[in-house]
Amino acid sequence: MTYQGSTKEEKLNIIDLPRLRDAVKRDTEAGAFGYVDGGSSDEQVLRDNEQAFRHYQLIPRMLQDIAAPDLSTTLFDIPLTMPVIAAPIAAHGLMHQDGEQVTVKGVGAAGSIFSLSTYGNSRIADVASAAPDTPKFFQLYMSRDDDFNQYLLDEAVNNGYKAIILTADATLGGYREADIINNFTFPLPMENLAAFSNAAGSGEGLGIADIYARAKQDLSLRDIKKVKEMAHGLPVIVKGIQDPDDALAAIAAGADGIWVSNHGGRELNGAPASIDTLAAIAKAVNRRVPVIFDSGIRRGEDVAKALALGADVVALGRPMLWGLNQGGAAGVQSVYEHLATELKIVMQLTGAHTVAELQRAKIINAKF
Amino acid sequence: MTYQGSTKEEKLNIIDLPRLRDAVKRDTEAGAFGYVDGGSSDEQVLRDNEQAFRHYQLIPRMLQDIAAPDLSTTLFDIPLTMPVIAAPIAAHGLMHQDGEQVTVKGVGAAGSIFSLSTYGNSRIADVASAAPDTPKFFQLYMSRDDDFNQYLLDEAVNNGYKAIILTADATLGGYREADIINNFTFPLPMENLAAFSNAAGSGEGLGIADIYARAKQDLSLRDIKKVKEMAHGLPVIVKGIQDPDDALAAIAAGADGIWVSNHGGRELNGAPASIDTLAAIAKAVNRRVPVIFDSGIRRGEDVAKALALGADVVALGRPMLWGLNQGGAAGVQSVYEHLATELKIVMQLTGAHTVAELQRAKIINAKF
Amino acid sequence: MTYQGSTKEEKLNIIDLPRLRDAVKRDTEAGAFGYVDGGSSDEQVLRDNEQAFRHYQLIPRMLQDIAAPDLSTTLFDIPLTMPVIAAPIAAHGLMHQDGEQVTVKGVGAAGSIFSLSTYGNSRIADVASAAPDTPKFFQLYMSRDDDFNQYLLDEAVNNGYKAIILTADATLGGYREADIINNFTFPLPMENLAAFSNAAGSGEGLGIADIYARAKQDLSLRDIKKVKEMAHGLPVIVKGIQDPDDALAAIAAGADGIWVSNHGGRELNGAPASIDTLAAIAKAVNRRVPVIFDSGIRRGEDVAKALALGADVVALGRPMLWGLNQGGAAGVQSVYEHLATELKIVMQLTGAHTVAELQRAKIINAKF
Amino acid sequence: MTYQGSTKEEKLNIIDLPRLRDAVKRDTEAGAFGYVDGGSSDEQVLRDNEQAFRHYQLIPRMLQDIAAPDLSTTLFDIPLTMPVIAAPIAAHGLMHQDGEQVTVKGVGAAGSIFSLSTYGNSRIADVASAAPDTPKFFQLYMSRDDDFNQYLLDEAVNNGYKAIILTADATLGGYREADIINNFTFPLPMENLAAFSNAAGSGEGLGIADIYARAKQDLSLRDIKKVKEMAHGLPVIVKGIQDPDDALAAIAAGADGIWVSNHGGRELNGAPASIDTLAAIAKAVNRRVPVIFDSGIRRGEDVAKALALGADVVALGRPMLWGLNQGGAAGVQSVYEHLATELKIVMQLTGAHTVAELQRAKIINAKF
């Protein structure tokens, strides 16, 4: 039987993002939901990614003369309506029949940046055609095959993508038990793989371990420069940084951006919550390059906390797919708008007129 | 259908205040209960407001020669039978048919101070008439319309209210999911709005966001002096302070009292429990002006802890409404008396002859 | 209907003391069980008294050449088979038909010291007659009526009691909700009250608040010397100390022993777990007088932890009554023997040949 | 009825080790399962042994140029495919009909070291014959009877065992409630006891307390040298160390290895989790002798954390028996292979090319 993704297209009435997840769980085939939702091993980091935000407390500020907070900001000179961009995620087709080509429209309508994964279900060019005006980044799982890498980066450059996200924290897959239990294999082709070579296959019918087997495992600092050259000078953001020393080394090796992430709890379990690693990394980076944060953002408060701890923007992963599943492009836009509603309240009540002021908001770690 | 508030009027046999809430929940329409009871976002701060008291431990003291603790104190030279006053809360009519005009009687009978909210269901003058001898404060949600502000403050002054509480932490409403889920709108008019202008409406049939839309969002330190002048020199207490710097700035700008509160967990979520902010603020204030504390008081122990951490008096919010709902004025009085029973035991066992001694009681923060 | 206490008399096969409580709960009338078992207010301290032991960790020690640990010790030169004595508890008649006259036999058989409460159901003289060889302390709730105090102390002296325990932490009763909910009144006479004056009554049919109303509320440091004189020079142990300053003041005022206790969580709620107050007090006392500890002992590990934190002996309260209820004197003895079994293992594995060595065992507070 | 152990022999498809335990629980007689699974007293340490690993967080490292992590290492110059050896456990016959003679084969197939307990169900010689090529250690519960000790050590030496594990933390048994509740006695003979003397008995039909009654309780530092001499110079590893001072004393007294363990939570309850004691001990040992760690290893992350905290190898106890029960020798091998799968991912993602690098991985204790 062919996999049936959602075909919905409608604005959503969102109470909060966790409740939106419940609807997706209800409507989606267990293996597909498990692949998107699950984490590695006993999922401690997956849970901690969300829970750790609770240890951080924003201090309410009074009488700060704010008529209306301004949520806009920029990333690599790209204007954003709010400090939230799309995280790269594989296989949007699991969530909606037209996959990334729908998501990209919603992200654009929300005034944000879309990130296309190497393992998306849509071709680089098709995503660009679907939403020419949406600013786009391309995420690279570096392959053992440099011809394939070059093919991908050429496509990204030629189709107007504005930066390359080099994923550094997934040189192999985490131990994801949900996928093992569900015996999950991808029911849909990964079109960028298919487009390069039918011989190597499209990934359809394969498990995640098979997909990762093609990745370059011995990724090194030298690859940052290499990717930059192969991408004709596009900025390269290194994604998956969890340690200040790695951030410094990546910048020294040419990184144009640092993406703090633990891959949504899908790679190393027994590691810190992503938000717990942010402050030290941001301090080390010291605003030399932009810091992007993901893993665990579910509320406007979470966005605000990440910014107050040093991020320039945050990236939204699973919640964006929840909107995609429940409402297509309009659903994705609804997710952004909901988050803007929450964030605006938080900015007002913490006394932040602007995103820059939010980054200087008082925040405490109440765990210790 | 017209909203049916409670019409009860009787003394209550209270075991403890949390159990009293259960009775109110049972007897009250879901939307009305949700409005009074709920907090913002995922209600972490709402829960923490109560739970955080558990981290503070009062040290029992022995052989202190106490025949009977004296619970009396004063606030702005107003005598109080115990260090507890009424917090301003909107729409008492949700809890009892005659709303604030009943509550004020119970508060007076208990020897305390009543606080009337701008968004009460009773007029400033009618509350004064209902209980002429009860000392009263008026709480101002500053409006965008200065004529309305002046009308309210004139009414307060002319009817013998003794201080103005300027709410600073609610320039817009928190993200209150219970109200969204219940699709809550106020079923009863806010008579002070109605009295000023029928054109602008009484608030009846509106949601909380609509009400807040009329509030002055860009509240600033300058408004403290402005309110004081408009109130003909009545003391102005700034409510919603959660940060020592804000307390100092407010005092420098003319505040006559500092009200430490996070609005009962209804405004900024992802913030500290209110009690966790008290000690640093009280230390900064250093007894130059009175410090009033609210958010989370449910037990005599909680009153004692707030005083030992630096408050001069505490304010009672939801528990007062629980008494109102279950017993009218007598029910409100019962709530105060119950709290006095508990507090008296705590004072005896911590070795405090007086409220001043209770403020010097040994207390530790056992969280860290 | 006359209250029916247990009439059991048999050795018990105890797995652990918490399970023994379950049997008592099953077999005992709710009001009586609630009176013995309950704590004050929301019972946070009651729970913490047991839970706080978990924060303390004894360090296992190896190769210490221990053929068999020696559990014996002394208190005021009275030999004890183990560092555990009986805590004074009111109304043993609730647990067993013959009350304290049975308990005292079991305690003696276990080689321990019995403590009789002022509010026991048996007369001072009758308890002495029941077990002439058991060493006994008398616990005084000091009355407003000095004639009654003198009567009690004369009886204690004349019947060979070896020390007076002056309870300092219960000048009034804690707010015990279980008793309020159960509408509990004592179903049996307190014979020492009855013996002094039938006019004042025996306490039968009264609640705990009525009983406490007769107590001297304004207890002071001067009362230590006064009791000592009235008791013809018997050692006076001050019970209920939770603060190092109070311990030092009591010693300076003549106390011959310091009893660290929070009354089993029945007095001030919102206070530290008793075990959390022990180390600082023991350090302040610095072995000038014996330190006795109670509140929360349920396991051999707990005994060991209290000793390692500075106690000389611990006192057993509720668990002793559980044994009384389930097995009379033999049941009480079984409780002691069970605790000895557990303690012996702990001593062996912590490398303690003797009680004195156990007091020097390595222990850490893993909470912080 | 004769006890029926498992007779399974097959490779296992393991999702994770905790789920494997569930299968064993389902298939095994309650008393036998309780004996293997249970801990002492209220089992706090048993639970903490697993839970405490969660406080430690490995820091993911990026771009470290790792083509494939190398899991191999050595212990006493014995090559190991991974840094995991078998912990000595009594009575494998409870889990599988052919007991240790099966386990030893699986351990050998996995490229690890087997440890035979004094209280195994198979003779020293028979275990050696069953798997001549598997490297083997012999674990000694030192007896009060030195003839028996000498018999055991001679057998170990003569059959090619490579080291003696001297258990120091079990001079008597912990208070194991599961065994008491199940009224557990060993249903099978301990063949090394039987072989030495039928008079003293084989242990069959006895409880664990009876077995421990034969052990030398007054074990001392002098016994290290004594065992070494009796074992003709084989290395002696002292097992059960939980304190740095004890580690130093053991090394000074001749120990050739330090085995950090709290006996899987079966001896002193109210003690630290074993992993919480490791870092300080490893620091004290300072690589003078190998440090082996056990108690609580259930995941590849746990192995990695123990190594990062200072262990040279870890030992696997209950999980090995779970594999034995469900799949015989092949099942044991499957357990090792599963752990290798998990550990390999962890090494890759923490940037460790080798076990030596893993021992230098960044790890933080997030509890404090």
Side-chain angles (χ1 to χ4, degrees):
Chain A
M1 194 186 75
T2 315
Y3 182 81
Q4 302 290 329
S6 161
T7 57
K8 290 181 185 167
E9 181 58 43
E10 57 183 341
K11 278 275 189 163
L12 300 174
N13 214 342
I14 296 171
I15 296 173
D16 59 38
L17 298 183
R19 290 178 210 254
L20 186 59
R21 173 185 177 273
D22 297 340
V24 178
K25 187 171 184 180
R26 182 195 63 208
D27 292 350
T28 307
E29 185 266 320
F33 182 79
Y35 171 72
V36 171
D37 199 66
S40 55
S41 191
D42 68 4
E43 299 190 329
Q44 185 189 351
V45 171
L46 180 75
R47 288 185 299 275
D48 285 353
N49 274 348
E50 295 188 13
Q51 291 300 314
F53 278 98
R54 298 175 176 273
H55 303 140
Y56 296 96
Q57 297 175 339
L58 293 161
I59 307 301
R61 299 301 300 273
M62 301 304 128
L63 304 169
Q64 303 290 318
D65 200 358
I66 306 180
D70 176 5
L71 281 66
S72 69
T73 187
T74 64
L75 180 65
F76 295 119
D77 295 326
I78 303 166
L80 296 166
T81 54
M82 61 187 294
V84 180
I85 67 169
I89 304 192
H92 291 207
L94 297 172
M95 288 289 115
H96 194 280
Q97 190 169 280
D98 300 310
E100 291 79 4
Q101 296 173 64
V102 176
T103 320
V104 71
K105 288 179 199 159
V107 169
S112 182
I113 298 169
F114 182 73
S115 301
L116 177 64
S117 167
T118 296
Y119 300 153
N121 295 119
S122 303
R123 286 193 201 193
I124 293 169
D126 293 342
V127 169
S129 307
D133 296 336
T134 304
K136 287 171 284 287
F137 292 169
F138 177 72
Q139 176 272 347
L140 179 68
Y141 278 112
M142 207 167 178
S143 170
R144 298 169 187 269
D145 177 355
D146 264 340
D147 291 342
F148 182 52
N149 295 325
Q150 189 62 63
Y151 161 76
L152 291 168
L153 293 171
D154 285 346
E155 284 289 297
V157 169
N158 294 337
N159 284 284
Y161 287 63
K162 302 198 167 175
I164 304 302
I165 303 162
L166 174 63
T167 292
D169 65 344
T171 49
L172 46 66
Y175 189 75
R176 302 185 198 164
E177 301 193 1
D179 291 345
I180 297 169
I181 292 168
N182 292 325
N183 202 17
F184 177 74
T185 59
F186 289 99
L188 300 165
M190 295 169 172
E191 294 290 359
N192 292 301
L193 278 62
F196 177 68
S197 158
N198 277 313
S202 71
E204 187 176 348
L206 297 185
I208 186 70
D210 303 307
I211 300 294
Y212 273 118
R214 302 171 182 188
K216 182 181 182 189
Q217 193 165 333
D218 53 349
L219 216 59
S220 78
L221 287 164
R222 294 182 301 278
D223 290 307
I224 297 172
K225 273 248 164 71
K226 182 173 169 184
V227 168
K228 206 158 172 176
E229 287 165 9
M230 294 172 81
H232 309 276
L234 278 187
V236 172
I237 305 163
V238 178
K239 178 168 178 284
I241 298 296
Q242 291 282 279
D243 182 75
D245 290 345
D246 282 358
L248 294 175
I251 293 172
D256 301 291
I258 294 296
W259 192 307
V260 174
S261 168
N262 63 19
H263 218 107
R266 296 160 77 83
E267 290 293 315
L268 182 64
N269 196 46
S274 189
I275 191 68
D276 284 334
T277 72
L278 174 56
I281 296 171
K283 195 177 169 193
V285 171
N286 197 20
R287 309 234 168 264
R288 278 175 289 176
V289 300
V291 172
I292 302 158
F293 171 82
D294 79 28
S295 298
I297 298 283
R298 298 293 177 265
R299 296 262 177 191
E301 294 98 290
D302 301 339
V303 178
K305 288 173 181 177
L307 267 71
L309 290 167
D312 292 296
V313 302
V314 306
L316 207 59
R318 295 180 184 93
M320 177 180 64
L321 292 197
W322 302 335
L324 174 65
N325 177 266
Q326 293 293 304
V332 169
Q333 189 181 355
S334 296
V335 165
Y336 275 86
E337 288 171 355
H338 176 77
L339 216 44
T341 297
E342 290 186 356
L343 179 59
K344 193 178 164 185
I345 294 172
V346 174
M347 288 180 68
Q348 175 77 21
L349 298 177
T350 53
H353 295 75
T354 63
V355 167
E357 282 190 18
L358 185 56
Q359 291 184 289
R360 298 191 295 268
K362 288 193 185 184
I363 189 167
I364 55 177
N365 184 350
K367 188 178 178 191
F368 299 108
Chain B
M1 195 185 78
T2 315
Y3 182 80
Q4 303 289 331
S6 160
T7 57
K8 290 181 186 168
E9 181 58 44
E10 57 183 342
K11 279 276 189 164
L12 300 173
N13 214 342
I14 296 171
I15 296 172
D16 58 39
L17 297 184
R19 290 179 210 254
L20 186 60
R21 173 184 176 272
D22 296 342
V24 178
K25 187 172 185 180
R26 182 196 62 209
D27 291 350
T28 307
E29 186 266 321
F33 182 77
Y35 171 72
V36 171
D37 199 65
S40 55
S41 191
D42 69 3
E43 300 191 328
Q44 185 189 349
V45 171
L46 180 75
R47 289 186 297 276
D48 285 354
N49 273 348
E50 294 187 14
Q51 291 300 314
F53 278 99
R54 298 175 176 273
H55 303 141
Y56 295 96
Q57 297 176 338
L58 293 161
I59 307 300
R61 300 302 301 274
M62 301 303 128
L63 304 170
Q64 303 290 319
D65 200 358
I66 306 180
D70 176 4
L71 281 67
S72 69
T73 187
T74 63
L75 180 66
F76 296 119
D77 295 326
I78 303 165
L80 296 166
T81 54
M82 60 187 295
V84 179
I85 67 169
I89 303 192
H92 291 206
L94 297 172
M95 288 290 116
H96 194 279
Q97 189 168 282
D98 299 311
E100 291 81 3
Q101 297 172 63
V102 176
T103 321
V104 70
K105 288 179 200 159
V107 169
S112 183
I113 298 169
F114 182 73
S115 302
L116 176 64
S117 167
T118 296
Y119 300 154
N121 295 119
S122 302
R123 287 194 200 190
I124 292 170
D126 292 342
V127 170
S129 307
D133 297 336
T134 304
K136 287 171 284 287
F137 292 170
F138 177 71
Q139 177 271 347
L140 179 68
Y141 277 113
M142 207 165 177
S143 170
R144 298 170 188 268
D145 177 354
D146 264 340
D147 292 341
F148 182 52
N149 294 325
Q150 188 62 62
Y151 161 75
L152 291 169
L153 294 171
D154 284 346
E155 284 289 296
V157 170
N158 293 337
N159 284 284
Y161 286 65
K162 302 198 167 173
I164 304 302
I165 303 162
L166 174 62
T167 292
D169 65 343
T171 49
L172 48 65
Y175 189 74
R176 302 185 196 163
E177 301 193 0
D179 292 345
I180 297 169
I181 292 167
N182 292 325
N183 202 18
F184 176 73
T185 58
F186 289 99
L188 300 166
M190 294 169 172
E191 294 290 359
N192 292 301
L193 277 62
F196 177 67
S197 159
N198 278 311
S202 72
E204 187 175 348
L206 297 185
I208 185 71
D210 304 307
I211 300 295
Y212 273 117
R214 304 172 182 187
K216 183 181 182 190
Q217 193 166 333
D218 53 348
L219 216 59
S220 79
L221 287 164
R222 294 181 302 278
D223 290 309
I224 297 172
K225 274 247 163 72
K226 182 173 169 184
V227 169
K228 206 160 173 175
E229 287 164 11
M230 293 171 82
H232 309 276
L234 278 186
V236 171
I237 305 163
V238 179
K239 177 167 178 283
I241 298 297
Q242 292 280 279
D243 182 74
D245 291 345
D246 282 358
L248 293 176
I251 293 172
D256 301 291
I258 294 296
W259 192 308
V260 174
S261 168
N262 63 19
H263 216 109
R266 297 160 78 82
E267 290 293 315
L268 182 64
N269 195 47
S274 189
I275 192 68
D276 284 335
T277 72
L278 174 57
I281 296 172
K283 194 176 170 194
V285 171
N286 197 20
R287 309 233 169 265
R288 278 174 289 175
V289 300
V291 172
I292 302 158
F293 171 82
D294 79 29
S295 297
I297 298 284
R298 298 293 177 266
R299 296 263 177 190
E301 294 98 293
D302 301 339
V303 178
K305 287 173 181 179
L307 266 71
L309 290 167
D312 292 295
V313 301
V314 305
L316 207 59
R318 294 180 183 93
M320 177 180 64
L321 291 198
W322 302 336
L324 174 66
N325 177 265
Q326 293 293 303
V332 169
Q333 189 182 355
S334 295
V335 165
Y336 274 87
E337 287 170 356
H338 176 76
L339 216 44
T341 297
E342 290 186 357
L343 179 59
K344 192 178 164 185
I345 294 171
V346 174
M347 289 180 67
Q348 175 78 20
L349 297 177
T350 53
H353 295 75
T354 63
V355 167
E357 283 190 19
L358 185 56
Q359 291 183 290
R360 297 191 295 268
K362 288 193 186 187
I363 188 167
I364 55 178
N365 184 349
K367 188 178 178 191
F368 300 106
Chain C
M1 194 185 79
T2 315
Y3 183 82
Q4 302 290 330
S6 160
T7 57
K8 291 180 185 169
E9 180 59 45
E10 58 184 339
K11 278 274 189 166
L12 301 173
N13 214 342
I14 295 172
I15 296 173
D16 58 39
L17 297 184
R19 290 178 210 254
L20 186 59
R21 173 184 175 273
D22 297 341
V24 177
K25 187 172 184 179
R26 182 195 62 208
D27 292 351
T28 307
E29 186 266 320
F33 182 77
Y35 171 72
V36 170
D37 199 64
S40 55
S41 192
D42 68 3
E43 299 190 330
Q44 185 189 349
V45 171
L46 180 75
R47 290 186 297 275
D48 285 353
N49 274 349
E50 295 188 14
Q51 291 300 314
F53 277 98
R54 298 175 176 272
H55 304 141
Y56 295 95
Q57 297 176 340
L58 293 161
I59 307 301
R61 300 301 302 273
M62 302 302 127
L63 303 169
Q64 304 290 319
D65 201 358
I66 306 181
D70 176 4
L71 281 66
S72 69
T73 187
T74 63
L75 179 66
F76 296 120
D77 295 326
I78 303 165
L80 296 165
T81 54
M82 60 187 296
V84 180
I85 67 168
I89 303 191
H92 291 206
L94 297 172
M95 289 289 117
H96 195 278
Q97 189 169 281
D98 300 309
E100 291 80 4
Q101 296 172 63
V102 176
T103 320
V104 70
K105 287 180 198 158
V107 169
S112 183
I113 297 169
F114 182 72
S115 301
L116 176 64
S117 167
T118 297
Y119 300 154
N121 294 120
S122 302
R123 287 194 201 190
I124 293 170
D126 292 344
V127 169
S129 306
D133 297 336
T134 304
K136 286 171 286 287
F137 291 170
F138 177 72
Q139 177 272 347
L140 178 68
Y141 278 112
M142 205 165 178
S143 170
R144 297 170 189 268
D145 177 355
D146 264 341
D147 291 343
F148 182 52
N149 294 326
Q150 189 62 62
Y151 161 76
L152 291 169
L153 294 171
D154 284 346
E155 284 289 297
V157 170
N158 294 337
N159 284 284
Y161 286 66
K162 302 199 169 174
I164 303 303
I165 303 163
L166 174 62
T167 292
D169 65 343
T171 49
L172 47 66
Y175 189 75
R176 301 184 197 164
E177 300 193 2
D179 292 345
I180 296 169
I181 292 167
N182 292 325
N183 202 17
F184 176 73
T185 58
F186 289 99
L188 300 166
M190 295 170 170
E191 294 290 359
N192 291 302
L193 278 61
F196 177 67
S197 158
N198 276 313
S202 71
E204 187 174 350
L206 297 185
I208 186 71
D210 303 308
I211 300 294
Y212 272 118
R214 304 173 181 186
K216 183 182 182 190
Q217 193 165 332
D218 53 347
L219 217 59
S220 78
L221 287 164
R222 293 181 302 279
D223 290 309
I224 297 171
K225 274 247 162 72
K226 182 173 167 183
V227 168
K228 206 160 175 174
E229 287 165 9
M230 293 172 82
H232 308 277
L234 277 187
V236 172
I237 305 163
V238 179
K239 177 167 178 284
I241 297 296
Q242 291 282 279
D243 182 74
D245 291 345
D246 282 357
L248 293 176
I251 293 171
D256 300 291
I258 294 296
W259 192 307
V260 174
S261 167
N262 63 19
H263 216 109
R266 297 160 77 82
E267 290 293 316
L268 183 64
N269 195 46
S274 189
I275 192 68
D276 283 334
T277 72
L278 175 57
I281 296 171
K283 194 176 169 196
V285 171
N286 198 20
R287 309 235 169 264
R288 277 174 289 175
V289 301
V291 172
I292 302 158
F293 171 83
D294 79 30
S295 298
I297 298 283
R298 298 293 177 266
R299 296 264 178 191
E301 294 98 292
D302 301 338
V303 178
K305 288 173 180 178
L307 266 72
L309 289 167
D312 291 294
V313 301
V314 305
L316 207 60
R318 293 179 184 94
M320 175 180 67
L321 291 198
W322 302 336
L324 174 66
N325 177 266
Q326 293 293 303
V332 169
Q333 190 182 354
S334 295
V335 166
Y336 274 86
E337 288 171 356
H338 176 77
L339 217 43
T341 298
E342 290 186 357
L343 180 59
K344 193 178 165 185
I345 294 172
V346 175
M347 289 179 67
Q348 175 77 21
L349 297 176
T350 52
H353 295 76
T354 62
V355 167
E357 283 190 17
L358 184 56
Q359 291 184 290
R360 296 192 296 268
K362 287 192 187 187
I363 188 167
I364 55 177
N365 184 350
K367 187 178 178 190
F368 300 107
Chain D
M1 195 184 77
T2 314
Y3 183 81
Q4 302 290 327
S6 161
T7 57
K8 291 180 185 168
E9 182 59 44
E10 57 184 340
K11 277 275 190 165
L12 301 173
N13 214 342
I14 295 172
I15 296 172
D16 58 39
L17 297 183
R19 291 177 211 255
L20 186 59
R21 173 185 176 272
D22 297 341
V24 178
K25 187 172 184 179
R26 182 195 62 210
D27 291 351
T28 308
E29 186 267 320
F33 182 78
Y35 171 73
V36 170
D37 199 65
S40 56
S41 192
D42 68 3
E43 299 190 332
Q44 185 188 350
V45 170
L46 181 74
R47 288 185 299 275
D48 286 353
N49 274 349
E50 295 188 14
Q51 291 300 314
F53 277 98
R54 297 175 177 272
H55 303 141
Y56 295 95
Q57 298 176 339
L58 293 161
I59 307 300
R61 299 301 301 272
M62 301 303 127
L63 304 169
Q64 304 290 320
D65 200 358
I66 305 180
D70 176 5
L71 282 65
S72 69
T73 187
T74 63
L75 180 66
F76 295 119
D77 295 326
I78 303 165
L80 296 165
T81 54
M82 61 188 293
V84 180
I85 67 169
I89 303 192
H92 290 207
L94 297 172
M95 289 288 117
H96 195 279
Q97 190 169 280
D98 299 310
E100 291 79 5
Q101 297 173 64
V102 177
T103 321
V104 71
K105 289 179 197 158
V107 169
S112 182
I113 298 169
F114 183 73
S115 301
L116 176 64
S117 167
T118 297
Y119 300 154
N121 295 119
S122 302
R123 287 194 201 192
I124 293 169
D126 293 343
V127 170
S129 308
D133 297 335
T134 303
K136 286 171 286 288
F137 293 170
F138 177 72
Q139 177 273 347
L140 179 68
Y141 278 112
M142 206 165 179
S143 170
R144 298 170 188 268
D145 177 354
D146 264 340
D147 291 343
F148 182 51
N149 293 326
Q150 189 61 63
Y151 161 76
L152 291 168
L153 294 171
D154 283 346
E155 284 289 297
V157 170
N158 293 338
N159 283 284
Y161 287 64
K162 302 200 167 173
I164 303 302
I165 303 163
L166 174 62
T167 292
D169 65 343
T171 49
L172 47 67
Y175 189 75
R176 302 183 197 165
E177 300 193 2
D179 291 345
I180 297 169
I181 291 167
N182 292 325
N183 202 16
F184 177 74
T185 58
F186 289 99
L188 299 165
M190 294 169 171
E191 295 289 0
N192 291 302
L193 278 61
F196 177 68
S197 158
N198 277 312
S202 71
E204 187 175 348
L206 297 186
I208 186 71
D210 303 308
I211 300 295
Y212 273 118
R214 304 170 180 187
K216 182 181 182 190
Q217 192 165 332
D218 53 349
L219 216 59
S220 79
L221 286 165
R222 294 181 301 277
D223 291 307
I224 297 171
K225 275 246 163 73
K226 182 172 169 184
V227 169
K228 207 159 173 175
E229 287 166 8
M230 293 172 81
H232 309 277
L234 278 187
V236 171
I237 305 163
V238 178
K239 178 167 177 286
I241 297 296
Q242 291 282 278
D243 183 75
D245 291 345
D246 282 357
L248 293 176
I251 293 171
D256 300 291
I258 293 296
W259 192 308
V260 174
S261 168
N262 64 19
H263 217 108
R266 297 159 78 83
E267 290 293 315
L268 183 64
N269 196 46
S274 190
I275 191 68
D276 284 334
T277 71
L278 174 57
I281 296 170
K283 194 177 168 194
V285 171
N286 197 19
R287 310 233 169 265
R288 279 175 287 176
V289 300
V291 172
I292 302 159
F293 170 83
D294 79 29
S295 299
I297 299 283
R298 299 292 177 267
R299 296 264 176 189
E301 294 98 291
D302 301 339
V303 178
K305 288 173 181 178
L307 266 72
L309 290 168
D312 292 295
V313 301
V314 306
L316 207 59
R318 294 180 184 93
M320 176 180 66
L321 291 198
W322 301 337
L324 174 66
N325 177 267
Q326 293 293 303
V332 169
Q333 190 182 355
S334 296
V335 165
Y336 274 87
E337 288 171 355
H338 176 77
L339 216 44
T341 297
E342 290 187 354
L343 180 59
K344 193 179 164 185
I345 294 172
V346 175
M347 288 179 68
Q348 175 77 19
L349 297 176
T350 53
H353 295 76
T354 64
V355 167
E357 282 190 18
L358 185 57
Q359 291 184 290
R360 297 191 296 268
K362 287 193 186 185
I363 188 167
I364 55 177
N365 183 351
K367 187 178 177 191
F368 299 108

